[in-house]
Amino acid sequence: MAKNKEPQKYRAGVGALILNNKMEILMVQNQSFKDDEWDFVKGGMHMGETELDTLKREISEELGSDFKFEIIRRSSWNVIYEWPLEKQIEKGFRGQARVSYWLMYRGGNIKIDRKELRTYKWVPINNYEGFLKESGWTIDQYAPLVDDLNRIKKEAYK
C-alpha cells in the first residue's frame, strides 16, 4: 500500500501582536514575502515547548535578545492555514494552527534576524485595517483581528 505523502496535521504555532506606547503595532516582512506583504513575529512550537516558551524564543530569534516586552493577554484571534504542497512535504505538516498573544513593547533595541526577516515597521493602529487590506489580507482574516485589537486597546492604553 502506498504511503500518503500529504501531511494531515497542523503544526502548533504562536504569534506576537506587539503594541507600543505610541498606539502602533509591529509588523514584519519575511525574506520570502513580496514587498507589500506583512505579518507578525511568529513561529512553530518545538517539541516540549509551552506557548509562552515559543513566544519568547521567536521574539528573541526574530527581534533580538535585547527586545523587552510585557504580555497583556492571549488574543481571541486564532489562525489556521495550509501551506503549499511542497512545504507540506518538507515540513511534515499540512499547515499551521496559530494562537497569538498581545504584548506591550517595553524597550530595548530591535535587531532583526536578516536570514528570516527583511524589515519591520510600526503601523498606527488607527490605520491598521487599511494597512492589512493593502497587504492582501482578506476581510475574513483581518476582521476578527481588528475586533480583538479594539477590545485590547482599552486594556493596553488605560
Side-chain angles (χ1 to χ4, degrees), residues 72-111:
I72 302 169
R73 71 168 164 82
R74 191 173 194 240
S75 174
S76 63
W77 178 69
N78 300 303
V79 181
I80 297 175
Y81 55 92
E82 293 192 13
W83 290 326
L85 186 57
E86 320 78 67
K87 190 171 181 180
Q88 290 181 23
I89 293 167
E90 173 195 338
K91 298 276 190 180
F93 294 98
R94 186 174 183 164
Q96 192 164 64
R98 184 173 76 213
V99 299
S100 295
Y101 283 83
W102 287 105
L103 311 175
M104 183 60 73
Y105 172 61
R106 294 295 184 205
N109 295 320
I110 296 177
K111 184 176 180 190

Side-chain angles (χ1 to χ4, degrees), residues 10-16 41-46 49-52 54-55 57-58 74 77-79 81 83 93 95-101:
Y10 290 88
R11 182 179 187 196
V14 180
V41 170
K42 66 185 183 321
M45 291 177 71
H46 293 171
E49 277 188 332
T50 66
E51 290 176 2
L52 296 181
T54 302
L55 181 69
R57 177 180 50 77
E58 288 295 334
R74 191 173 194 240
W77 178 69
N78 300 303
V79 181
Y81 55 92
W83 290 326
F93 294 98
Q96 192 164 64
R98 184 173 76 213
V99 299
S100 295
Y101 283 83

Side-chain angles (χ1 to χ4, degrees), residues 18 30 39 41 44 48 104 119 124-125 133 136 139 142 153 155:
I18 304 169
N30 290 12
D39 206 344
V41 170
M104 183 60 73
T119 191
I125 59 177
K133 284 180 195 176
I139 192 164
Y142 71 75
K153 282 194 295 191
E155 292 176 50

Side-chain angles (χ1 to χ4, degrees), residues 9-145:
K9 296 180 183 176
Y10 290 88
R11 182 179 187 196
V14 180
L17 307 168
I18 304 169
L19 302 170
N20 68 16
N21 62 3
K22 297 177 184 174
M23 296 188 78
E24 298 169 322
I25 189 165
L26 184 69
M27 299 298 293
V28 297
Q29 194 172 64
N30 290 12
Q31 286 292 356
S32 62
F33 283 8
K34 296 174 187 161
D35 287 343
D36 61 348
E37 286 182 292
W38 295 87
D39 206 344
F40 304 100
V41 170
K42 66 185 183 321
M45 291 177 71
H46 293 171
M47 188 68 77
E49 277 188 332
T50 66
E51 290 176 2
L52 296 181
D53 291 338
T54 302
L55 181 69
K56 291 172 187 173
R57 177 180 50 77
E58 288 295 334
I59 288 171
S60 181
E61 287 175 4
E62 295 186 18
L63 301 178
S65 58
D66 194 38
F67 189 91
K68 294 174 182 44
F69 63 92
E70 174 185 334
I71 297 172
I72 302 169
R73 71 168 164 82
R74 191 173 194 240
S75 174
S76 63
W77 178 69
N78 300 303
V79 181
I80 297 175
Y81 55 92
E82 293 192 13
W83 290 326
L85 186 57
E86 320 78 67
K87 190 171 181 180
Q88 290 181 23
I89 293 167
E90 173 195 338
K91 298 276 190 180
F93 294 98
R94 186 174 183 164
Q96 192 164 64
R98 184 173 76 213
V99 299
S100 295
Y101 283 83
W102 287 105
L103 311 175
M104 183 60 73
Y105 172 61
R106 294 295 184 205
N109 295 320
I110 296 177
K111 184 176 180 190
I112 61 172
D113 177 2
R114 295 280 179 195
K115 289 179 274 181
E116 202 165 336
L117 301 179
R118 185 180 313 141
T119 191
Y120 72 92
K121 72 162 105 178
W122 291 99
V123 177
I125 59 177
N126 293 345
N127 303 335
Y128 195 53
E129 188 170 345
F131 177 82
L132 293 174
K133 284 180 195 176
E134 289 173 15
S135 296
W137 290 50
T138 66
I139 192 164
D140 291 341
Q141 293 170 320
Y142 71 75
L145 174 58

